[in-house]
C-alpha cells in the first residue's frame, strides 16, 4: 500500500517520455502499416498515443518527448495534423536500441534535464494519479520509481482444500503477484545509468534494486490498467471502456 504525503513546495514533473519504437509484432495485422502506438482502441476513434497524451496533460505534464522508430513517419503525420494537449518532440532512433537505449538516446530532448520526468511504454492504457506517484517518488528519495499493477489472470483458477477436494472455480482472478506496469518516474540522475543499447528493466533496474534506489508505487485499487499487446487486448479494452 502507498502512503503518500506531498511535502509543501515539492516540484512535480511536467515533462514525460513515451517509448514508441517497437514493431508491435503481436498486434499484426494492425501494425502492418502503423506503429503500435497508432493502433486505435475500437469505439474511441483515437489511437493509443492520443489517450496517453490526454492523460499526461490532465496530470500536469506540458512537454512530451516521443522516442520512435518503426514507421515513425506515420506517427509524425498524425502528430502534425492533430490538436495536441501538450508540446510534443519526436526523436527517431537511427536503429533499434532497445527500451533502455531508446530512453537514453531521446533523453537530451527533454526540456528540463535537471528535473525529474515521467516515462511510459507506448502500449499502456491506464488512468491513475501521476501526481501521487511523483510525490511517492520524492518522499522516498528514489532514483527511479515504477508503477506496479496486479492484473487479472487470463485463465480461471481452481480453489482446493488440504485433501485435494475442489471447493470453487474463480474466473480470471487477480494475480497474486505485482507486475511492472510500464509507467515510471525518473530522477534527473537516472539518464546516466541507462545503457546505450538494451533494456533498462534488465540492466539498470536490478542494479538500482540492489542499491535500494528503486521504489515501487502500487496502482490504487480500482485504477484502470491494461497493456495493449494483442488483438484480444484491443477487444477487451473496448468492452471495458463501454461499461458505464
Amino acid at each position: 500500500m502507498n502512503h503518500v504525503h506531498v511535502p509543501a513546495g515539492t516540484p512535480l514533473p511536467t515533462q514525460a517520455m513515451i517509448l514508441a519504437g517497437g514493431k508491435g509484432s503481436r498486434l499484426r495485422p494492425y501494425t502492418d502499416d502503423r506503429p503500435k502506438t497508432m493502433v486505435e482502441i475500437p469505439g474511441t476513434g483515437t489511437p493509443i498515443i492520443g489517450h496517453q497524451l490526454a492523460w499526461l496533460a490532465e496530470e500536469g505534464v506540458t512537454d512530451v518527448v516521443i522516442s520512435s522508430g518503426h514507421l515513425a513517419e506515420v506517427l509524425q503525420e498524425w502528430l502534425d495534423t492533430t490538436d495536441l494537449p501538450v508540446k510534443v518532440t519526436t526523436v527517431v532512433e537511427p536503429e533499434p536500441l532497445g527500451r533502455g537505449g531508446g530512453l537514453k538516446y531521446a533523453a537530451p530532448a527533454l526540456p528540463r534535464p535537471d528535473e525529474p520526468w515521467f516515462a511510459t511504454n507506448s502500449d499502456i492504457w491506464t488512468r491513475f494519479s501521476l501526481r501521487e506517484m511523483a510525490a511517492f517518488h520524492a518522499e522516498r528519495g528514489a532514483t527511479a520509481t515504477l508503477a506496479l499493477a496486479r492484473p487479472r489472470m487470463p485463465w480461471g483458477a481452481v480453489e482446493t482444500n488440504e485433501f485435494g477436494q475442489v471447493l470453487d472455480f474463480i474466473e480470471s482472478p487477480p494475480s497474486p503477484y505485482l507486475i511492472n506496469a510500464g509507467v515510471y518516474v525518473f530522477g534527473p540522475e537516472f539518464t546516466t545509468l541507462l545503457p546505450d543499447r538494451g533494456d533498462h528493466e534488465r540492466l539498470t533496474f536490478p542494479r538500482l534494486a540492489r542499491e535500494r534506489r528503486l521504489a515501487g508505487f502500487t496502482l490504487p485499487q480500482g485504477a484502470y490498467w491494461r497493456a495493449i499487446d494483442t488483438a484480444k487486448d484491443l477487444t477487451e479494452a473496448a468492452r471495458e471502456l463501454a461499461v458505464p
Side-chain angles (χ1 to χ4, degrees), residues 154-168:
W155 49 80
V158 179
E159 183 182 353
T160 62
N161 63 16
E162 64 271 24
F163 301 109
Q165 296 168 321
V166 174
L167 302 179
D168 200 2

Side-chain angles (χ1 to χ4, degrees), residues 32-107:
D32 284 346
D33 60 354
R34 67 196 66 193
K36 182 193 284 192
T37 197
M38 282 300 299
V39 173
E40 290 187 6
I41 307 271
T44 70
T46 303
I48 300 169
I49 189 78
H51 295 288
Q52 291 184 317
L53 292 174
W55 174 50
L56 291 170
E58 291 165 6
E59 292 295 321
V61 172
T62 59
D63 297 88
V64 175
V65 174
I66 301 178
S67 173
S68 60
H70 176 63
L71 295 175
E73 65 278 6
V74 178
L75 170 61
Q76 191 61 56
E77 181 180 356
W78 182 85
L79 293 170
D80 290 342
T81 56
T82 302
D83 184 17
L84 302 174
V86 294
K87 180 181 178 182
V88 174
T89 302
T90 307
V91 176
V92 182
E93 295 180 10
E95 58 182 319
L97 299 173
R99 288 184 295 177
L103 282 170
K104 188 169 187 176
Y105 185 77

